[in-house]
Amino acid sequence: MDYFLYKNGELFCEEINLQEIAKEFGTPAYVYSKKTIERHINVYKNAFQKKDSLICFSVKSLSNISILNILKEKDCGFDIVSGGELQRALHIKTNPKKIIFSGVGKSNEEILKGINNEILSFNIESESELFRIEKIASENNKVVDVAIRFNPEVDSGGHEYIKTGRKGDKFGISPNDLVLKLSHYIYNSKHLRLIGLACHIGSQIGDLESYKLTAINIRQLAEEIDKTGNELKFLDLGGGLGIPYNSDKTPSPKDLVSIIEEELKDRNEKIILEPGRSITGNAGILLTKVEYIKDNFLVVDAAMNDLLRPALYDAKHDIWNLKQNDSDNKKWTIVGPVCESSDILAKDHEMNASEGDILAIKTAGAYGFVMSSNYNSRVRAPEILVDNNQYTVIRKRESFKDLIRNEVSLND
Ligand SMILES: Cc1ncc(COP(=O)(O)O)c(C=O)c1O
């Protein structure tokens, strides 16, 4: 559920008419609803009835510091995948003991920064990474808390590019024999402590069966790890819950948590989840103006550099006209101005639209702004946060100065 609704034929975000925002800040522009984000977090938190839990929001899905602050105020931790994301979490004064560091390619500098800030855990993704963290811990005379990210070998997730939990995927460690060998190794290490077992099976997952299998796998592996002498403190089932981009039906966090609580009822560890999309996806839209109509093309002022998902994953987003009018609907191909044939935001999209109309590309809060670029020397769009009847620019539109900031002119 979200707070983008028509009132008297005009699209509002909470109490704000979106035409007002388009008029004041121009287009393209990202708009987020604070109330929607808070609602989703509450749904996750209230879903846990029996188990101690921590929701570590996946920073990569929407990393603006004002958004992270909303989540911090709701007691969330953070799942990070880079030094930059670590710095964002520390910048807003997150308790480091709520930060989980995932990712297959952690550099020495990133590891050291995590160690020095005493984060909750590094989710180790390979044998080499384990030895590297141990070496850095030893050089700095520290004992570092780690979790092993294993591959539950569950085939799930939407597009091929967002499946992550299978044998042969670049993420996580498999087979389980290797996980157990490494658990033994950590038990005997002076500089590492195994406190968790983690996994993440993919993104935009629409079936609960995959999560059930994952929960069973994590329980069975945790039982084996018990025998190595390590005392696990958390089981982390990752993120990945799907959301409705069109009219597709997706499971609720409540149903997800009830399966996890049932399958893990005999375990005492804290449960960690790392949701991204299901917290911020439908809390954001991208406003864009229809510049031209040409045959069945709506040429809008947002492009693949603003919202990459349709070009990258063939993702479908619903698109609404800010002025509600379902008469004379036509089927449009909605394209941006970038010089690539793949710069298509929607195909065969049925709506009523005229030149100058403002459209809202829905469900653009997650993996939207964060994937934007300056391709075609286009400045990045602003991000605006609506809170009831107020709005604030939480990232300004870039300028030409921003575009060339780090460039060096040989003629100056
Ligand atoms: C390790 C990890 N955790 C959590 C997430 C968040 O996934 P989602 O946004 O689908 O919930 C991702 C996304 O790819 C991830 O790689």
Side-chain angles (χ1 to χ4, degrees), residues 58 60 79 102 149 200 202-204 239-241 274-277 367:
S58 182
K60 68 164 86 72
D79 164 54
S102 309
R149 174 169 171 185
H200 169 75
S203 211
Q204 189 52 12
L241 194 64
E274 305 169 356
R277 189 189 308 274
Y367 308 102

Side-chain angles (χ1 to χ4, degrees), residues 240-305:
L241 194 64
I243 56 172
Y245 279 92
N246 277 306
S247 50
D248 24 329
K249 270 230 163 290
T250 47
S252 74
K254 193 163 181 275
D255 296 337
L256 166 66
V257 169
S258 94
I259 282 187
I260 292 172
E261 286 196 327
E262 175 57 26
E263 293 305 328
L264 299 177
K265 62 176 182 290
D266 296 329
R267 302 291 310 179
N268 293 321
E269 295 88 350
K270 179 183 280 203
I271 303 298
I272 293 183
L273 294 179
E274 305 169 356
R277 189 189 308 274
S278 51
I279 302 285
T280 51
N282 63 3
I285 56 154
L286 175 60
L287 290 178
T288 182
K289 186 169 84 188
V290 180
E291 292 282 8
Y292 300 101
I293 292 186
K294 176 180 160 183
D295 307 325
N296 67 329
F297 289 109
L298 288 184
V299 183
V300 297
D301 64 359
M304 64 190 290
N305 77 295

